[in-house]
Amino acid sequence: MKRMVLWAVIALVLGLGAYIRLAPSNPARWHVAPVAEVDQDLPSGVLRVVETGPDGLQRLDLIARATPRTSVLAGSVDEGMITYVTRTKWIGFPDYTTVQQDGDTLRIHGRLRFGRRDFGVNKARVDGWFAVLQ
């Protein structure tokens, strides 16, 4: 009986891990323009508004694409908005970061997909991108 429970727990953990890694990312849900006028730290992510000049998105795109385990979900520099997916190293939890160029202003929204708190992970990544951008 104990072995059956152990195998059931192992199967559950592996199944959850597979779901987290393989669940599709719907661009219609995640590729939405950030709405913010001021910086905000949220339990599930971060919103930032930064004056970068008109080429901010182009410069930030190079930084984001160089970030390990980060890929583009939707958008482009030419469209003026890009959403990136960055996955954690071990489990592969996805975080979504949408960056939009609005004139000289760059708006960025980094948020988690699973859970309620990101423990500052999105804040650290987004603020790190802006530190390199400066």
Side-chain angles (χ1 to χ4, degrees), residues 67-121:
T67 303
R69 298 172 306 283
T70 299
S71 60
V72 173
L73 174 66
S76 69
V77 171
D78 290 339
E79 291 175 27
M81 186 168 81
I82 305 173
T83 297
Y84 305 93
V85 180
T86 304
R87 293 188 172 271
T88 61
K89 187 173 185 175
W90 298 107
I91 297 177
F93 283 105
D95 288 327
Y96 298 88
T97 307
T98 301
V99 185
Q100 180 186 37
Q101 185 79 52
D102 181 14
D104 288 345
T105 302
L106 207 57
R107 287 186 174 78
I108 188 165
H109 184 196
R111 66 257 191 225
L112 56 75
R113 176 172 180 175
F114 297 106
R116 293 190 178 135
R117 297 189 61 87
D118 76 345
F119 302 100
V121 171

Side-chain angles (χ1 to χ4, degrees), residues 8-57:
V9 168
I10 289 171
L12 181 65
V13 168
L14 290 175
L16 182 60
Y19 175 74
I20 288 169
R21 281 204 174 262
L22 301 175
S25 296
N26 182 353
R29 178 176 179 193
W30 300 104
H31 188 61
V32 293
V35 179
E37 296 302 319
V38 296
D39 292 352
Q40 299 176 43
D41 294 338
L42 308 167
S44 62
V46 65
L47 285 159
R48 293 289 183 259
V49 180
V50 178
E51 295 298 318
T52 61
D55 66 340
L57 180 59

